[in-house]
Structures are given as C-alpha cells and as structure tokens.
Amino acid sequence: MSNSSRITVAFGDGIGPEIMTSTLEIMKAAGARLECDVIEIGEKVYKSGHSSGIAPESWDILRRNKIFLKAPITTPQGGGFKSLNVTIRKGLGLYANVRPNLSYAPIVKCIHPKMDLVIVRENEEDLYAGIEHRQSEDVYQCLKILSRPGTEKIIRYAFEYAKRNGRKKVTCLSKDNIMKLTDGMFHKVFDEVAKEYPGIETDHKIIDIGAAFVAERPQIFDVIVTLNLYGDIISDIAAQVSGSVGLASSANIGDHGAMFEAIHGSAPDIAGKDIANPSGLLLSAVDMLVHLGQGDVATKIHNAWLKTMEDGVHTGDIYDPTISQQKVGTQGFTQSVIQRLGQKPEKMKPVNYQAGAGPLVIQLKSQYKESKKVFKGIDIFIADKSRNAEKLANGLNQVKHENLKLKMITNRGVKVWPEGLPETFCTDHFRTRWMWAGNEANAQSLTTVYEFISKVSAQGFDVIKTENLYSFDGLDQYSLGQGE
Ligand code: NAD
C-alpha cells in the first residue's frame, strides 16, 4: 500500500466549491491517503490583477506537490485574460490529455449504448504552440509545430495506456493526405511504435471521416491518439454524443506533474443551489488515485459510484422519471456514494484498478541519429500590393544572383508563376522559391543568401519572412506548390 500523497486542490468558481467538497468527502470516507494544500485560482485571482488566473506563490505549491485536482473556474469576460488551463499545461509540461468517453446506458440515455472510447490528445504542440503573426495587409499565419520526440511520446503513451487498461485497439487520426510532412511524420511514428505492440490492433483514419465516425459509430473505436487541435474537437464531439458531459473526467499528464478535472465548466447558472452533479470531478479524482498508486481506493470509489448510478440515485441533470428512482442534490448524491463504499455494481461492469500501479512513465526509444542536412534553397515571402505574380517575377528577376534561381511563386500555396491559372485569386502574400544552382551549398551559402535577401529588400521588395529549404538524408523536406 502506497504512502500518503500531498496534492494541490483548487475549489474554483461557480459550482466548483460544491463538487470539490463532495469529491473530497467521498475520498476521505473511502480511505484515500491524501494531504491537500488548497490554492486559489480563477475569477477572483484574475480580477486581482493576475492575468493568468493564478498567483505566483500558488505556482510554487503546484510545482512542489506535482499533482493538481482542479475544480472548474469562470473565465472573466473581456480581453487580456490568459487561459489558466493552457498556462498550467505548458508550465508543468502536461503533454497528454486523456479523456474517457463512456456510455452509461441503460442508466443514462445514450444514442450510442456501446460507446467506450478513450481519447489521448497531444497537449503541447501543433497550432497551440501559439506562434501567430500578421504578415501583410491580407494575410495572417499560425504555425503548426510538431516535434518527433513530442509525437513519439504521445503515441507511446496511447499504447502503454491501452496495454495497462486491457484495451484492444489504438486508432491514429491525422490529416496526412494534406499535411504530408507534419501529419505524415505523426502517422509514420505511429506505424513505427505500433510494431512494438503486436497484441494491439492498430488503425489510421483521416481526421475528417474519423470525427464523423466518432459522432455516428463511436463503438468502432477503443483508444484514439491524435494531434492537439483534432483532439480538442473530437473530445467534445465524443463527450456530447456519449450523453454524459456532466460525468466525464479528464487527466492532463506530464513527466513533472499531472492535473485532473471534470470537462464541464463552472455552471454559474446553478451555483450554490446544491443541484450540481459532482460525478465528473469525482471520476477525475479516481483517475488521480490510480496515478498516485492508490488503485485500491480508486476501485472502491468507482464501484460505489457505479452502484449509486445503477440504483437510480440521480442528480437533476441526468434524472429521468422513466429510469431514475430518486432525485437527489449534490450532498444527497455524495452521501449515497459514501453509503455504497465497499459495494459493487450488478448491471454495470465493476472496475478493478491495479493497486500500486502508479503513473505511466514513458521513455523515448527511437534512436535520433544525426541526418545529413543539405541546404537546397530558400523561400522568400514577399508582401506585394500589386497582387500580380507576373509583375513580381519580372521585378525579382532583375535582382541577379549567380547561384540562386527563382523557381516558382505561389500565393496561399498555389503556383501562380510560371504559368499560373487565371482563375487563381491572389492576395498580397507571395512565396517566392529560390533554388541553389551553384556548387553544392556549404556553410557560407546561407550568408550569401542573406546578402541576396538584403539586396532584394534594398530594391524595395517587402520581405516579410524567409524559410530555408533542406533535404535530410537525401529527401527534400519542404512542400511543393499546388500545381507544381
Ligand atoms: P458549463 O459546462 O459550465 O455549463 C453548461 C451547462 O451544463 C449549464 O447549463 C450548466 O448548468 C450545466 N452543467 C455543467 N456542469 C454541470 C454539473 N456538474 N451538474 C449539472 N449541470 C451542469 O459551460 P459554460 O456555461 O459554457 O461555461 C461556464 C463557465 O465555465 C465559463 O466561464 C467558462 O469559461 C468556464 N469553463 C471552465 C472550464 C474549466 O475550468 N476547465 C471548462 C469549460 C468552461
């Protein structure tokens, strides 16, 4: 049996204090071995001038305790406030977001009674890196950053999660038919890691049809692993169609900490009325206890909760006179779960978490050898008010360089020179691609190229950014223009 763990607890806003009190009460009654440090987060903290919703001294507690049980908070209206969740995820390096989506039919009505899937979403990279720029009158950009180690880690996490929890299949969702380098790498790493888990069935689907299937036939999925943005979207679709948004838990896992919370918000409309359902937070606390190596207590609570639900003791949000036996408030529900500690459900499948299992620790295994990286050319992005590719090409070709040749110009990724199509709509944002035509490029080549860019700029062209073009081990690692 593991020793007591020290965790950080935040009661949050709205219904937060009620559902957290309920969760702590049930954990205490079940014998959870916990000591709690309480921190203040949310609306009050935002309004006292901390733009991220958390005070610096609370950070010290979070870092020291590493495990955070968080109630929902209210995000104040108006600009200037940063998302607390994003701040905590990035601050603690919580790279995996794990969201089980389960139907509780026939206890809770659900259009997909056989749904039982877990979404493992990458949490730190992708478009959420938050690197955005406005580059011209017409164009804004947001960079999609994916790293190979970050990808390997989330994929290994999904497989290890499947293995530990007796899950049979892992499905990767990506858009590698369009984003061949970024999503292509995600899919490739998935295939590589999958070979190490021969007992687990694997599948890959394009995210659009994958999302449609999550909505329409979720029973075909078991564990899903995907990129940050896709995961964000399908997590909400899955929660919605499971019919159990108020019951769903979420874990954010990292090497240096973990955060557990319900997926719903602070529900200010019902705050302080003793009607909120504490189940989402309680099930998150169950995940936390497993993570802390207290699988025995987690099992006891989860089974008592299932038995309460199965006995038809329901809060207002899921109460249905044709199914439920008794309508209770937050406290009534809490006491009903406590009364059933030690009991198991009879109609629903009981859970049995391994005692002392602890957190899933993921080691990167791939050998990252140094590739042969060759400089092939450069994309020079130019803002041009004429919005005319032919005119731009003529102007640029006046700026001579013996080793750099203008190969093509694209507008929003579509080739517009040479020989573009008249139908292509042009903005003021052009990518001009210059290939190195001299002897094999060397360390000095880049300096030469930058001198050339200065020359282009001095001629009055509005250079807004550049992107170096490389091959790695002989493979060109940059996208072609559409129509090239
Ligand atoms: P919400 O999830 O708080 O509420 C949506 C609806 O579901 C409401 O009718 C509410 O009464 C009901 N509901 C939610 N949880 C319930 C529960 N446990 N029991 C019974 N009914 C429940 O979403 P919202 O109204 O869009 O957001 C309210 C606030 O919560 C906003 O300030 C939002 O920014 C914040 N929020 C916080 C988090 C978080 O802290 N992780 C997540 C989502 C939203």
Side-chain angles (χ1 to χ4, degrees):
M1 194 173 280
S2 68
N3 294 328
S4 170
S5 304
R6 201 171 187 97
I7 65 164
T8 307
V9 166
F11 283 76
D13 301 315
I15 58 169
E18 294 161 77
I19 59 173
M20 184 58 85
T21 303
S22 154
T23 299
L24 294 177
E25 236 176 283
I26 295 170
M27 284 201 290
K28 189 167 176 219
R33 301 173 290 280
L34 297 174
E35 288 164 68
C36 303
D37 289 321
V38 175
I39 61 166
E40 178 105 48
I41 53 164
E43 209 173 13
K44 258 197 249 155
V45 185
Y46 275 118
K47 288 186 173 162
S48 69
H50 298 289
S51 64
S52 54
I54 181 165
E57 53 276 19
S58 302
W59 262 118
D60 298 338
I61 300 172
L62 270 184
R63 286 222 171 78
R64 189 186 63 221
N65 291 348
K66 297 183 176 27
I67 303 299
F68 185 23
L69 182 63
K70 175 180 166 285
I73 57 155
T74 301
T75 317
Q77 297 291 311
F81 302 111
K82 286 191 220 140
S83 155
L84 177 63
N85 270 17
V86 174
T87 306
I88 292 172
R89 267 182 219 153
K90 290 195 172 168
L92 291 180
L94 307 179
Y95 68 89
N97 179 249
V98 184
R99 274 176 51 168
N101 295 276
L102 181 62
S103 137
Y104 292 103
I107 297 170
V108 180
K109 271 191 185 153
C110 174
I111 47 172
H112 302 298
K114 293 215 167 74
M115 172 172 190
D116 179 7
L117 68 88
V118 179
I119 296 170
V120 176
R121 160 190 169 197
E122 198 289 315
N123 227 0
E124 291 183 297
E125 304 193 341
D126 192 2
L127 291 155
Y128 290 69
I131 308 176
E132 292 190 286
H133 306 91
R134 180 175 181 176
Q135 296 177 315
S136 68
E137 263 324 297
D138 295 349
V139 170
Y140 301 70
Q141 78 166 9
C142 174
L143 293 184
K144 172 163 170 150
I145 306 282
L146 250 60
S147 76
R148 205 179 182 291
T151 300
E152 183 188 337
K153 203 158 185 185
I154 194 69
I155 286 168
R156 285 194 184 281
Y157 189 92
F159 278 100
E160 284 299 318
Y161 180 95
K163 196 168 131 189
R164 174 183 281 189
N165 294 287
R167 301 239 166 207
K168 306 276 181 293
K169 180 174 164 189
V170 181
T171 304
C172 173
L173 299 180
S174 83
K175 189 82 186 172
D176 66 338
N177 54 332
I178 301 293
M179 284 160 277
K180 298 188 167 69
L181 284 177
T182 47
D183 287 37
M185 182 271 289
F186 197 90
H187 187 176
K188 187 162 168 265
V189 172
F190 175 79
D191 288 345
E192 281 167 19
V193 172
K195 288 190 193 121
E196 295 173 34
Y197 297 87
I200 296 177
E201 189 191 336
T202 59
D203 187 18
H204 172 270
K205 290 197 189 316
I206 300 296
I207 179 65
D208 31 12
I209 189 66
F213 283 166
V214 168
E216 192 238 353
R217 56 188 86 164
Q219 66 280 2
I220 67 166
F221 296 107
D222 194 343
V223 173
I224 290 177
V225 64
T226 190
L227 289 73
N228 206 341
L229 177 64
Y230 310 145
D232 194 0
I233 296 167
I234 61 159
S235 291
D236 273 20
I237 298 175
Q240 194 62 32
V241 301
S242 74
S244 333
V245 178
L247 313 179
S249 65
S250 152
N252 290 279
I253 309 283
D255 292 335
H256 310 290
M259 174 171 81
F260 299 85
E261 62 176 348
I263 70 163
H264 62 73
S266 58
D269 51 331
I270 57 165
K273 296 182 178 162
D274 188 42
I275 51 179
N277 187 344
S279 300
L281 187 61
L282 183 66
L283 293 178
S284 308
V286 164
D287 292 341
M288 177 188 76
L289 290 168
V290 175
H291 186 91
L292 288 170
Q294 300 189 29
D296 50 339
V297 189
T299 304
K300 197 167 166 189
I301 295 175
H302 202 155
N303 282 335
W305 177 82
L306 284 167
K307 179 81 170 88
T308 309
M309 294 288 290
E310 174 180 290
D311 287 348
V313 182
H314 294 163
T315 44
D317 54 315
I318 54 165
Y319 181 81
D320 177 338
T322 63
I323 303 171
S324 311
Q325 295 295 323
Q326 192 188 349
K327 189 174 187 176
V328 286
T330 314
Q331 259 308 311
F333 187 79
T334 308
Q335 297 315 318
S336 303
V337 175
I338 291 174
Q339 279 159 18
R340 287 167 178 78
L341 287 168
Q343 297 182 29
K344 282 185 185 169
E346 283 145 30
K347 293 175 226 147
M348 302 286 288
K349 196 167 156 242
V351 298
N352 187 13
Y353 298 109
Q354 218 182 315
L360 276 178
V361 180
I362 303 302
Q363 304 286 353
L364 295 185
K365 289 194 192 155
S366 300
Q367 302 291 327
Y368 292 103
K369 66 173 178 59
E370 206 55 43
S371 316
K372 186 171 187 298
K373 180 174 161 187
V374 176
F375 176 68
K376 301 285 292 279
I378 190 153
D379 280 346
I380 304 176
F381 290 76
I382 293 176
D384 188 283
K385 290 193 176 68
S386 78
R387 295 168 175 79
N388 183 317
E390 205 60 43
K391 216 166 135 192
L392 177 64
N394 289 339
L396 283 171
N397 275 325
Q398 307 296 315
V399 194
K400 297 264 182 273
H401 190 284
E402 57 176 314
N403 286 332
L404 279 169
K405 296 282 167 275
L406 179 61
K407 188 173 175 228
M408 86 171 168
I409 300 178
T410 66
N411 197 288
R412 295 187 299 171
V414 179
K415 189 178 72 138
V416 287
W417 183 93
E419 292 158 27
L421 295 171
E423 292 84 6
T424 305
F425 172 76
C426 277
T427 67
D428 63 354
H429 184 274
F430 291 93
R431 168 178 60 168
T432 68
R433 175 159 289 179
W434 302 78
M435 298 309 288
W436 188 257
N439 301 327
E440 182 153 329
N442 54 39
Q444 277 79 49
S445 309
L446 206 51
T447 317
T448 315
V449 167
Y450 286 134
E451 283 165 8
F452 174 67
I453 294 165
S454 305
K455 219 166 133 190
V456 172
S457 177
Q459 292 297 314
F461 293 98
D462 184 5
V463 175
I464 49 181
K465 79 158 190 170
T466 63
E467 201 70 60
N468 299 348
L469 308 176
Y470 294 111
S471 71
F472 287 77
D473 291 337
L475 280 180
D476 292 342
Q477 299 281 282
Y478 44 88
S479 54
L480 301 177
Q482 273 160 24
E484 194 183 355

